[in-house]
Amino acid sequence: QVLNNKKWIILWMKKTGILSITFLVSVFILIAACSKESNENVETIQTYLEQEFTGPNDELINALEQEGAYPPELEAYIEENYKPLVSNLEQFINENMTLIFLKAAFENGYHLETTNIDIQKIDDTEEEAYNFEVEVEYHNDDQTNAATVTGIMNINDNGKISMIRNMDDGEL
């Protein structure tokens, strides 16, 4: 009887051990998948912020110097640099969520440069939402100043920016 109980205990431990290992592996895979998705979302936001607060570069300066409100060169620049990042490019253009700071820098003879970007996922939200804070230096020939821009970005299921809200430009 004691021998049978030992066999049963050993068998139970083996089965439970396999189930425990399977469970732990499943949990680790799930965590890794969520972490990868979150990292990709952070990369998307970081790319957007770097593009929006660095420059203008020569290509953009050339596009902004063209005649008309929305010349083909500017359209091509926006398509190339923003379309891969945002869910609805037309909406972003209409809501002035593209090039707003770079246009102002160009028009006033300034150059923008990001010095630090901090992006934090907001927990307990139905949608993927992230706080962001960008430290930006802006300079011309005479002076250098700095500002901190903050806000919240939402990322849709396709990993694209769907909304920017609560943006505070820090008097940039």
Side-chain angles (χ1 to χ4, degrees), residues 7-30:
K7 285 182 182 178
W8 182 84
I9 291 172
I10 291 171
L11 184 62
W12 180 80
M13 288 175 66
K14 284 182 181 179
K15 286 183 180 180
T16 305
I18 291 172
L19 288 175
S20 297
I21 290 170
T22 303
F23 175 76
L24 288 174
V25 168
S26 298
V27 168
F28 287 133
I29 289 172
L30 181 63

Side-chain angles (χ1 to χ4, degrees), residues 42-160:
V42 168
E43 286 176 25
T44 298
I45 294 169
Q46 175 132 358
T47 300
Y48 176 91
L49 294 171
E50 286 172 349
Q51 288 181 187
E52 192 64 26
F53 295 103
T54 304
N57 61 24
D58 291 339
E59 181 184 3
L60 180 57
I61 289 170
N62 179 52
L64 292 171
E65 288 176 338
Q66 302 304 310
E67 294 292 322
Y70 196 57
E73 295 86 353
L74 185 57
E75 182 178 354
Y77 181 89
I78 290 173
E79 285 271 333
E80 178 184 332
N81 291 286
Y82 289 90
K83 191 171 186 174
L85 303 173
V86 300
S87 61
N88 185 335
L89 184 59
E90 187 175 329
Q91 175 187 350
F92 270 69
I93 292 168
N94 292 337
E95 293 178 359
N96 289 325
M97 292 295 174
T98 57
L99 301 180
I100 186 168
F101 297 99
L102 290 174
K103 278 184 189 176
F106 169 76
E107 291 167 355
N108 294 291
Y110 280 90
H111 184 83
L112 306 179
E113 187 175 331
T114 58
T115 57
N116 188 47
I117 298 175
D118 183 41
I119 302 164
Q120 298 293 324
K121 186 174 187 319
I122 301 172
D123 294 326
D124 302 326
T125 59
E126 289 182 25
E127 295 185 23
E128 291 286 312
Y130 296 81
N131 284 315
F132 67 86
E133 180 177 289
V134 185
E135 294 174 19
V136 182
E137 280 189 359
Y138 54 103
H139 54 85
N140 62 15
D141 294 335
D142 300 332
Q143 61 184 0
T144 298
N145 295 304
T148 301
V149 180
T150 61
I152 298 172
M153 284 195 199
N154 287 75
I155 302 288
N156 68 14
D157 292 337
N158 297 324
K160 293 193 174 195

